[in-house]
Amino acid sequence: MSFDFGKKLDFESEFFDLYKLSKSAYGVIAKENSGMGGNAGFIDIEDYLIIVDTTGDVDAAKDLKKAAAQYTQKEPNFIVITHYHMDHLMGTSLFDVSTQIMTSDRTLNNIQTDGRKRLEEFKNMDLKEMEESLKIETDEEKKSKIENDLKFLKTVRSDTFSLREPNVTFKEGCVVYGRGTSVQLRTFNNAHTNGDVIVYLPEEKVLFAGDLLFTRRDPWLGSGNPEGWIIVNEKLMTIDFKVCVPGHGQLSSKEEFSLENKYIKELLELVKNKIGVGEDPTQIKRSDFSKELQSWKSPVLEMNINFLAEYLKKS
Ligand SMILES: [Zn+2]
């Protein structure tokens, strides 16, 4: 999909493509299999430079920092973290206390509980099994996934790595005013996580959705509430935006939110029906979905099915 207001810039990075989305906003879109993790962005509102998410790879975050400096000639004043998953968070370690890190109060709480716990688990993980499987893996895509996972784990375990946690939080939302434009931060409960943050530029009609939007790929449902997510997406589709930077995938429009909702609704229904007739829901195949969802590729489908089977038992 191409946008007449989203110009691709010629910044060189092995991790991402850089787009100028509007007068103030830039989209940082991860290259497939680059190991960068979530997309990111930056917004130059003249008085301030705001970075949106910091990726899951410290080297990708170095490129992000470099791109922001090159195109704005500013040091970042704020980082906004959209949610607690490490594939959006690792790069905070690169920024010192002169950069304020903002998020919702629930996301900070998630980082301080689940996030810290996961980091400890990563530090104690045995890497031998992964190193062995890397030696015998022949599929290029799977191989680069293992390589990226190993790189991530080695970063977490290195003595020099220290994750910086957000130091400014809000309950519902807040606005950062610049001379150029204003930037709205809003948070939602019960969707991809319980504290997802969106970043919206009303004057320029640009939306950064974090992982509320996985564009044309299986959204990870297991950290949140699938039914709540459908409702949040319906609200997001009423926002006046021309271009959206999703958490994963290419630049998007409202159509991608509606496709994501279609996926969540269909998968809920498919799992419900399998359980209803006493069959194993893991038998669900891509071909059981509507045509426009059948081409999606991601190992997350099976995890989503297992999560929904448990979720439906509880509800
Ligand atoms: Zn996420």
Side-chain angles (χ1 to χ4, degrees), residues 84 105-117 165-166:
Y84 73 99
D105 52 5
R106 290 187 299 272
T107 288
L108 177 63
N109 185 52
N110 291 334
I111 291 170
Q112 291 178 333
T113 52
D114 198 281
R116 286 182 188 174
K117 197 171 128 228
E165 294 177 355

Side-chain angles (χ1 to χ4, degrees), residues 109-143:
N109 185 52
N110 291 334
I111 291 170
Q112 291 178 333
T113 52
D114 198 281
R116 286 182 188 174
K117 197 171 128 228
R118 292 301 300 270
L119 280 179
E120 275 316 302
E121 285 166 6
F122 292 143
K123 281 179 190 162
N124 298 317
M125 227 175 196
D126 187 4
L127 304 187
K128 273 197 205 95
E129 207 177 303
M130 283 171 80
E131 281 163 343
E132 287 308 312
S133 64
L134 182 63
K135 280 181 202 158
I136 51 168
E137 185 57 65
T138 50
D139 181 276
E140 280 307 315
E141 209 166 307
K142 285 184 186 151
K143 213 170 153 177

